[in-house]
Amino acid sequence: MGDIILTINAGSSSVKFSAQEIAEGKLTPLASGLIDGIGGKATFSARKSGGEKTHFVLDQTHAAVDHKMALTAVLDWMEDQLPGANVVGVGHRVVHGGPNYAQPVLVTTETFKDLKALEPLAPLHQPYNLAGVEAAIHAFPHAAQVACFDTAFHRKHPFIADTFALPRQYYDEGVRRYGFHGLSYEFIHRILRYEEPVLARGKVIVAHLGNGASLCAINAGRSVASTMGFTALDGLPMGTRCGQLDPGVVLYLMSEKKMSAAEITDLLYKNSGLKGMSGISNDMRDLEASTEQSAKDAIDYFVSRVRREIGGLSAVLGGLDCIVLTGGIGENAVNIRRAILKDMEWFGIQIDEDANARNERVISEKGSPTVALILKTDEERMIAAHTAELLGLKQPIVPAIS
Ligand code: ADP
């Protein structure tokens, strides 16, 4: 076995990882896994490509498992399952790169300090992403650590797409619409450049519809606007997050309901969106299977907000050549896709119902002025590619894309 790139996506209670081999000009997925329940009794599950799944409780003494123990477990598992694997780079998903990081970056003492200083901008993600970086330095001290940011793809937005209508001082202090899901958008756009080069040069909206959801307007390969803002709360309603909200609601919750910042954070991040509206689940499949009116209302609200934002971003772009649907909902939910794209002939989208029902790659009619596509996103692969590229290994993830 040769050189390996490891990708790490560390959250508050979980670490996702993947191992990809660099060989013969491409990255080949070797294994992926998840350590869940960090902070308590954690479980480890992993699978080699095409192999059996391993699953076990991580610490039999029931001591609280932290990120370091999780990454040490990854190292042990790899030594056992991928003997001879030489981890040359570890690519980390880091949610926030602030106003300055527009590219992935090698983690040094200096950059780590910079990224630490951004923790207040993403308190529910950034501290854990960085705990993952520290743990990986400990477990893989000889590998290069590379931070790949969810915000980086959006850093070339014009000022008006990034600012709020607040006094300028807040923008200067970093209160901006950063936008997120950038690794997914970048991956999708690379695929598009490879498979549909003409469309990729045009006006494109990518709809990343998963547990987290946002839309991105891309013009000639450059992100020009996104529905997510200062935090990953804004824009579309999501599994448990509220999406766009009048800030007056927050003022009301504070002044009239006497809710604390922590209580409001909990409400808006964890108990709103599909889960909050339906009172049933954050999972779109559960809502589709339900006969409750509240489930139908949550779906209808989700769909109507996606449609509204497609309209808004198309206006920003001045037209629309292609719309790509991705993420768990975008890739799989036939009825939700149909509801989002129906009655848009006036707008240039003519959906092919049969192609949509079969989850085909192209789901618009031949000759539809706007082409609608389903493409599978892969943020891990994007991180691995960035890491390889930053190490000068010139092994692009997406075949034949420079
Ligand atoms: P994450 O943002 O956590 O990566 P995913 O991209 O995996 O999330 O998307 C999860 C969402 O996709 C869930 O709401 C799930 O219900 C939805 N989903 C996955 N498969 C289907 C399906 N076949 N039909 C409807 N929804 C689906």
Side-chain angles (χ1 to χ4, degrees):
M1 186 145 311
D3 290 348
I4 305 284
I5 302 276
L6 199 63
T7 69
I8 302 288
N9 183 354
S12 60
S13 64
S14 71
V15 172
K16 285 188 205 155
F17 71 92
S18 79
Q20 316 206 17
E21 185 174 22
I22 310 170
E24 292 164 17
K26 59 183 201 300
L27 284 159
T28 309
L30 287 182
S32 60
L34 169 74
I35 298 104
D36 212 1
I38 288 177
K41 185 176 151 187
T43 56
F44 182 105
S45 41
R47 190 196 296 273
K48 283 210 288 185
S49 297
E52 289 287 297
K53 191 170 179 179
T54 320
H55 184 85
F56 54 88
V57 175
L58 197 53
D59 189 286
Q60 301 297 345
T61 64
H62 304 304
V65 169
D66 61 13
H67 288 84
K68 264 196 185 141
M69 291 162 78
L71 265 287
T72 305
V74 173
L75 173 65
D76 290 346
W77 184 81
M78 284 182 57
E79 281 178 348
D80 187 47
Q81 296 290 319
L82 306 172
N86 177 31
V87 177
V88 293
V90 185
H92 296 268
R93 181 176 191 172
V94 176
V95 71
H96 225 301
N100 299 327
Y101 288 104
Q103 299 290 337
V105 65
L106 207 58
V107 179
T108 61
T109 312
E110 205 50 41
T111 46
F112 191 83
K113 230 192 281 167
D114 276 359
L115 301 181
K116 258 315 220 195
L118 296 171
E119 283 186 355
L121 297 184
L124 300 188
H125 294 99
Q126 192 89 343
Y128 307 107
N129 299 159
L130 297 181
V133 174
E134 283 185 306
I137 292 171
H138 177 78
F140 302 94
H142 303 298
Q145 308 289 331
V146 175
C148 301
F149 306 105
D150 273 309
T151 50
F153 188 59
H154 306 295
R155 286 289 51 78
K156 292 184 185 137
H157 282 182
F159 170 74
I160 51 157
D162 269 7
T163 191
F164 295 101
L166 293 172
R168 172 70 191 230
Q169 112 196 41
Y170 293 99
Y171 177 87
D172 293 338
E173 283 171 18
V175 181
R176 303 179 186 191
R177 291 182 216 269
Y178 288 98
F180 298 88
H181 285 139
L183 294 161
S184 172
Y185 294 131
E186 214 177 341
F187 181 82
I188 292 292
H189 201 267
R190 284 202 189 191
I191 297 282
L192 205 61
R193 266 162 53 199
Y194 180 61
E195 294 183 356
E196 304 278 356
V198 175
L199 290 177
R201 285 196 288 275
K203 295 166 178 172
V204 177
I205 290 177
V206 181
H208 178 107
L209 308 177
N211 258 320
S214 69
L215 303 184
C216 180
I218 304 174
N219 199 351
R222 172 175 158 180
S223 165
V224 292
S226 153
T227 58
M228 272 187 174
F230 178 55
T231 66
L233 270 185
D234 202 3
L236 305 176
M238 304 171 222
T240 62
R241 287 174 251 161
C242 58
Q244 188 274 330
L245 190 74
D246 177 346
V249 173
V250 177
L251 300 177
Y252 169 82
L253 296 176
M254 287 166 64
S255 59
E256 300 302 318
K257 306 286 276 188
K258 308 295 177 209
M259 286 173 73
S260 66
E263 286 168 331
I264 297 173
T265 301
D266 208 54
L267 172 69
L268 302 185
Y269 275 94
K270 297 185 180 157
N271 288 305
S272 296
L274 298 178
K275 180 184 172 196
M277 279 192 77
S278 68
I280 294 170
S281 169
N282 64 315
D283 192 306
M284 190 57 96
R285 284 165 292 200
D286 294 340
L287 302 191
E288 288 198 289
S290 169
T291 54
E292 297 290 328
Q293 183 62 37
S294 63
K296 187 178 174 318
D297 289 342
I299 292 175
D300 288 350
Y301 181 77
F302 177 84
V303 166
S304 80
R305 298 307 300 200
V306 176
R307 286 168 62 85
R308 189 175 155 147
E309 295 293 348
I310 290 172
L313 291 180
S314 299
V316 171
L317 286 166
L320 188 60
D321 299 310
C322 176
I323 180 161
V324 180
L325 295 109
T326 192
I329 296 171
E331 291 163 27
N332 302 295
V334 172
N335 294 329
I336 305 293
R337 277 199 310 260
R338 181 189 306 116
I340 290 171
L341 297 177
K342 74 170 188 191
D343 301 333
M344 284 201 177
E345 292 79 10
W346 65 273
F347 183 71
I349 302 178
Q350 296 162 2
I351 185 159
D352 178 337
E353 296 276 355
D354 295 334
N356 181 49
R358 288 194 297 267
N359 282 315
E360 284 182 9
R361 196 178 75 91
V362 182
I363 57 166
S364 49
E365 298 274 9
K366 257 203 185 101
S368 172
T370 300
V371 176
L373 300 174
I374 304 172
L375 295 177
K376 187 169 163 37
T377 196
D378 192 339
E379 287 150 309
E380 267 72 38
R381 227 162 148 66
M382 192 67 241
I383 293 169
H386 274 317
T387 305
E389 287 162 7
L390 204 103
L391 296 181
L393 297 171
K394 283 193 156 191
Q395 314 290 349
I397 4 147
V398 184
I401 292 179
S402 57

Short mmCIF file of all heavy atoms in Angstrom, two decimals, residues 16 93 181 208-213 239 241 274 282-288 326-336 359 377 379, ligand 1:
data_model
loop_
_atom_site.label_atom_id
_atom_site.label_comp_id
_atom_site.label_asym_id
_atom_site.label_seq_id
_atom_site.Cartn_x
_atom_site.Cartn_y
_atom_site.Cartn_z
N LYS A 16 -16.10 11.88 11.33
CA LYS A 16 -16.18 11.05 10.12
C LYS A 16 -14.80 11.04 9.48
O LYS A 16 -14.12 12.08 9.48
CB LYS A 16 -17.16 11.66 9.12
CG LYS A 16 -18.60 11.48 9.47
CD LYS A 16 -19.47 11.96 8.30
CE LYS A 16 -20.83 12.37 8.81
NZ LYS A 16 -21.52 13.34 7.98
N ARG A 93 -12.14 19.12 7.29
CA ARG A 93 -13.23 20.05 7.00
C ARG A 93 -13.26 21.07 8.14
O ARG A 93 -13.46 20.71 9.30
CB ARG A 93 -14.55 19.29 6.95
CG ARG A 93 -15.67 20.21 6.62
CD ARG A 93 -16.96 19.48 6.47
NE ARG A 93 -17.96 20.38 5.91
CZ ARG A 93 -19.14 19.99 5.52
NH1 ARG A 93 -19.48 18.74 5.61
NH2 ARG A 93 -19.99 20.86 5.04
N HIS A 181 -21.23 25.32 2.83
CA HIS A 181 -21.36 24.20 1.87
C HIS A 181 -20.43 24.38 0.67
O HIS A 181 -20.66 23.80 -0.40
CB HIS A 181 -22.81 24.05 1.34
CG HIS A 181 -23.75 23.45 2.35
ND1 HIS A 181 -25.03 23.90 2.53
CD2 HIS A 181 -23.59 22.43 3.21
CE1 HIS A 181 -25.62 23.19 3.47
NE2 HIS A 181 -24.76 22.30 3.91
N HIS A 208 -27.94 22.43 -2.71
CA HIS A 208 -27.45 21.38 -1.80
C HIS A 208 -28.55 21.16 -0.76
O HIS A 208 -28.74 21.97 0.15
CB HIS A 208 -26.13 21.81 -1.14
CG HIS A 208 -25.62 20.80 -0.16
ND1 HIS A 208 -24.53 19.99 -0.42
CD2 HIS A 208 -26.07 20.43 1.05
CE1 HIS A 208 -24.34 19.18 0.60
NE2 HIS A 208 -25.26 19.43 1.51
N LEU A 209 -29.31 20.08 -0.93
CA LEU A 209 -30.46 19.83 -0.07
C LEU A 209 -30.23 18.55 0.73
O LEU A 209 -30.51 17.44 0.26
CB LEU A 209 -31.74 19.71 -0.92
CG LEU A 209 -32.01 20.88 -1.90
CD1 LEU A 209 -33.26 20.60 -2.73
CD2 LEU A 209 -32.13 22.20 -1.16
N GLY A 210 -29.66 18.71 1.91
CA GLY A 210 -29.45 17.57 2.80
C GLY A 210 -30.05 17.93 4.15
O GLY A 210 -31.03 18.66 4.21
N ASN A 211 -29.45 17.44 5.22
CA ASN A 211 -29.88 17.87 6.55
C ASN A 211 -29.66 19.36 6.71
O ASN A 211 -30.48 20.08 7.24
CB ASN A 211 -29.09 17.13 7.62
CG ASN A 211 -29.90 16.02 8.22
OD1 ASN A 211 -31.10 16.19 8.46
ND2 ASN A 211 -29.26 14.90 8.45
N GLY A 212 -28.48 19.81 6.26
CA GLY A 212 -28.24 21.23 6.08
C GLY A 212 -28.61 21.53 4.63
O GLY A 212 -28.49 20.66 3.78
N ALA A 213 -29.10 22.74 4.35
CA ALA A 213 -29.51 23.01 2.97
C ALA A 213 -29.20 24.45 2.61
O ALA A 213 -29.36 25.36 3.43
CB ALA A 213 -31.01 22.75 2.81
N GLY A 239 -33.12 20.49 8.31
CA GLY A 239 -33.61 19.41 9.17
C GLY A 239 -34.06 19.94 10.52
O GLY A 239 -35.19 19.71 10.95
N ARG A 241 -32.77 23.34 11.55
CA ARG A 241 -32.49 24.79 11.60
C ARG A 241 -33.58 25.58 10.89
O ARG A 241 -34.15 25.11 9.91
CB ARG A 241 -31.13 25.08 10.94
CG ARG A 241 -29.96 24.62 11.79
CD ARG A 241 -28.65 24.79 11.05
NE ARG A 241 -28.09 23.51 10.67
CZ ARG A 241 -27.17 23.34 9.73
NH1 ARG A 241 -26.69 24.37 9.06
NH2 ARG A 241 -26.70 22.14 9.47
N LEU A 274 -37.58 21.42 9.65
CA LEU A 274 -38.55 20.33 9.41
C LEU A 274 -38.99 19.70 10.74
O LEU A 274 -40.17 19.41 10.94
CB LEU A 274 -37.92 19.24 8.53
CG LEU A 274 -37.48 19.65 7.11
CD1 LEU A 274 -36.84 18.47 6.39
CD2 LEU A 274 -38.66 20.19 6.30
N ASN A 282 -36.76 15.32 11.76
CA ASN A 282 -35.96 16.17 10.88
C ASN A 282 -35.68 15.47 9.55
O ASN A 282 -35.06 16.02 8.66
CB ASN A 282 -34.62 16.50 11.54
CG ASN A 282 -33.76 15.27 11.75
OD1 ASN A 282 -34.26 14.25 12.22
ND2 ASN A 282 -32.50 15.34 11.40
N ASP A 283 -36.14 14.21 9.45
CA ASP A 283 -35.79 13.38 8.29
C ASP A 283 -36.92 13.48 7.25
O ASP A 283 -38.07 13.15 7.54
CB ASP A 283 -35.61 11.94 8.75
CG ASP A 283 -34.96 11.08 7.69
OD1 ASP A 283 -35.48 11.05 6.55
OD2 ASP A 283 -33.94 10.44 7.98
N MET A 284 -36.55 13.91 6.05
CA MET A 284 -37.56 14.11 5.00
C MET A 284 -38.33 12.82 4.71
O MET A 284 -39.52 12.87 4.41
CB MET A 284 -36.85 14.62 3.74
CG MET A 284 -37.76 15.10 2.67
SD MET A 284 -38.90 16.41 3.20
CE MET A 284 -38.03 17.89 2.68
N ARG A 285 -37.66 11.67 4.83
CA ARG A 285 -38.36 10.40 4.54
C ARG A 285 -39.50 10.18 5.52
O ARG A 285 -40.58 9.72 5.15
CB ARG A 285 -37.38 9.22 4.60
CG ARG A 285 -36.50 9.14 3.40
CD ARG A 285 -35.34 8.22 3.62
NE ARG A 285 -34.42 8.79 4.61
CZ ARG A 285 -33.17 8.45 4.75
NH1 ARG A 285 -32.66 7.50 4.01
NH2 ARG A 285 -32.39 9.02 5.65
N ASP A 286 -39.27 10.52 6.80
CA ASP A 286 -40.34 10.35 7.81
C ASP A 286 -41.51 11.27 7.50
O ASP A 286 -42.67 10.88 7.65
CB ASP A 286 -39.82 10.71 9.21
CG ASP A 286 -38.75 9.74 9.68
OD1 ASP A 286 -38.68 8.63 9.13
OD2 ASP A 286 -37.97 10.11 10.59
N LEU A 287 -41.20 12.47 7.05
CA LEU A 287 -42.28 13.42 6.77
C LEU A 287 -43.08 12.97 5.55
O LEU A 287 -44.31 13.09 5.53
CB LEU A 287 -41.73 14.83 6.55
CG LEU A 287 -40.92 15.43 7.71
CD1 LEU A 287 -40.68 16.91 7.47
CD2 LEU A 287 -41.63 15.25 9.04
N GLU A 288 -42.38 12.45 4.56
CA GLU A 288 -43.10 11.97 3.37
C GLU A 288 -43.99 10.79 3.70
O GLU A 288 -45.04 10.60 3.09
CB GLU A 288 -42.10 11.59 2.27
CG GLU A 288 -41.43 12.80 1.64
CD GLU A 288 -40.80 12.49 0.29
OE1 GLU A 288 -39.77 11.79 0.28
OE2 GLU A 288 -41.35 12.93 -0.73
N THR A 326 -28.52 18.34 -5.44
CA THR A 326 -27.61 17.41 -4.78
C THR A 326 -27.94 17.31 -3.30
O THR A 326 -28.88 17.93 -2.82
CB THR A 326 -26.14 17.83 -5.03
OG1 THR A 326 -25.28 16.78 -4.63
CG2 THR A 326 -25.77 19.10 -4.27
N GLY A 327 -27.16 16.52 -2.54
CA GLY A 327 -27.46 16.26 -1.12
C GLY A 327 -28.50 15.15 -1.03
O GLY A 327 -29.11 14.76 -2.03
N GLY A 328 -28.73 14.64 0.18
CA GLY A 328 -29.62 13.50 0.37
C GLY A 328 -31.00 13.71 -0.23
O GLY A 328 -31.56 12.80 -0.87
N ILE A 329 -31.56 14.90 -0.06
CA ILE A 329 -32.90 15.18 -0.61
C ILE A 329 -32.81 15.41 -2.12
O ILE A 329 -33.57 14.84 -2.90
CB ILE A 329 -33.53 16.40 0.11
CG1 ILE A 329 -33.75 16.07 1.59
CG2 ILE A 329 -34.83 16.82 -0.56
CD1 ILE A 329 -34.16 17.26 2.46
N GLY A 330 -31.85 16.24 -2.53
CA GLY A 330 -31.70 16.55 -3.95
C GLY A 330 -31.40 15.32 -4.80
O GLY A 330 -31.86 15.21 -5.94
N GLU A 331 -30.65 14.37 -4.23
CA GLU A 331 -30.26 13.20 -5.01
C GLU A 331 -31.32 12.10 -5.03
O GLU A 331 -31.34 11.28 -5.94
CB GLU A 331 -28.96 12.60 -4.42
CG GLU A 331 -27.74 13.50 -4.64
CD GLU A 331 -26.57 13.13 -3.74
OE1 GLU A 331 -26.46 11.95 -3.34
OE2 GLU A 331 -25.77 14.03 -3.43
N ASN A 332 -32.19 12.10 -4.00
CA ASN A 332 -33.08 10.94 -3.85
C ASN A 332 -34.58 11.22 -3.80
O ASN A 332 -35.37 10.32 -4.10
CB ASN A 332 -32.75 10.21 -2.54
CG ASN A 332 -31.32 9.75 -2.49
OD1 ASN A 332 -30.92 8.89 -3.27
ND2 ASN A 332 -30.53 10.33 -1.60
N ALA A 333 -34.97 12.41 -3.38
CA ALA A 333 -36.39 12.63 -3.07
C ALA A 333 -37.16 13.05 -4.32
O ALA A 333 -37.28 14.24 -4.63
CB ALA A 333 -36.52 13.66 -1.95
N VAL A 334 -37.70 12.08 -5.03
CA VAL A 334 -38.38 12.30 -6.32
C VAL A 334 -39.51 13.31 -6.18
O VAL A 334 -39.62 14.26 -6.97
CB VAL A 334 -38.94 10.95 -6.85
CG1 VAL A 334 -39.82 11.17 -8.08
CG2 VAL A 334 -37.81 9.98 -7.14
N ASN A 335 -40.36 13.13 -5.15
CA ASN A 335 -41.54 13.99 -5.03
C ASN A 335 -41.17 15.42 -4.64
O ASN A 335 -41.82 16.38 -5.07
CB ASN A 335 -42.51 13.41 -3.99
CG ASN A 335 -43.08 12.10 -4.48
OD1 ASN A 335 -43.24 11.90 -5.69
ND2 ASN A 335 -43.34 11.17 -3.57
N ILE A 336 -40.14 15.54 -3.83
CA ILE A 336 -39.72 16.89 -3.41
C ILE A 336 -39.13 17.61 -4.62
O ILE A 336 -39.42 18.79 -4.86
CB ILE A 336 -38.67 16.81 -2.27
CG1 ILE A 336 -39.19 15.97 -1.10
CG2 ILE A 336 -38.24 18.21 -1.83
CD1 ILE A 336 -40.35 16.57 -0.36
N ASN A 359 -34.68 8.96 -11.20
CA ASN A 359 -33.43 9.52 -10.65
C ASN A 359 -32.34 9.62 -11.70
O ASN A 359 -31.17 9.36 -11.41
CB ASN A 359 -32.91 8.67 -9.49
CG ASN A 359 -33.65 8.92 -8.20
OD1 ASN A 359 -33.91 10.07 -7.84
ND2 ASN A 359 -34.02 7.86 -7.53
N THR A 377 -22.98 14.68 -4.65
CA THR A 377 -21.86 15.44 -4.09
C THR A 377 -20.95 14.52 -3.28
O THR A 377 -21.34 13.41 -2.90
CB THR A 377 -22.36 16.62 -3.22
OG1 THR A 377 -21.27 17.52 -3.01
CG2 THR A 377 -22.93 16.17 -1.89
N GLU A 379 -18.10 15.63 -0.47
CA GLU A 379 -17.23 16.62 0.17
C GLU A 379 -15.89 16.00 0.59
O GLU A 379 -14.86 16.66 0.53
CB GLU A 379 -17.95 17.24 1.37
CG GLU A 379 -19.06 18.19 0.92
CD GLU A 379 -20.22 18.29 1.88
OE1 GLU A 379 -20.76 17.22 2.27
OE2 GLU A 379 -20.61 19.41 2.24
P1 ADP B 1 -26.18 15.64 5.66
O1 ADP B 1 -26.42 17.11 5.46
O2 ADP B 1 -26.28 15.21 7.09
O3 ADP B 1 -24.97 15.10 4.92
P2 ADP B 1 -27.68 14.17 3.66
O4 ADP B 1 -27.10 14.89 2.50
O5 ADP B 1 -27.34 12.75 3.86
O6 ADP B 1 -27.45 14.96 5.02
O7 ADP B 1 -29.29 14.30 3.54
C1 ADP B 1 -30.12 13.85 4.55
C2 ADP B 1 -31.57 14.12 4.12
O8 ADP B 1 -31.81 13.46 2.86
C3 ADP B 1 -32.59 13.63 5.11
O9 ADP B 1 -33.62 14.57 5.28
C4 ADP B 1 -33.14 12.39 4.41
O10 ADP B 1 -34.46 12.12 4.77
C5 ADP B 1 -33.07 12.81 2.97
N1 ADP B 1 -33.18 11.64 2.09
C6 ADP B 1 -32.26 10.69 1.85
N2 ADP B 1 -32.77 9.74 1.01
C7 ADP B 1 -34.05 10.13 0.73
C8 ADP B 1 -35.11 9.59 -0.07
N3 ADP B 1 -34.95 8.46 -0.75
N4 ADP B 1 -36.27 10.28 -0.12
C9 ADP B 1 -36.44 11.41 0.57
N5 ADP B 1 -35.48 11.97 1.33
C10 ADP B 1 -34.31 11.35 1.41
#
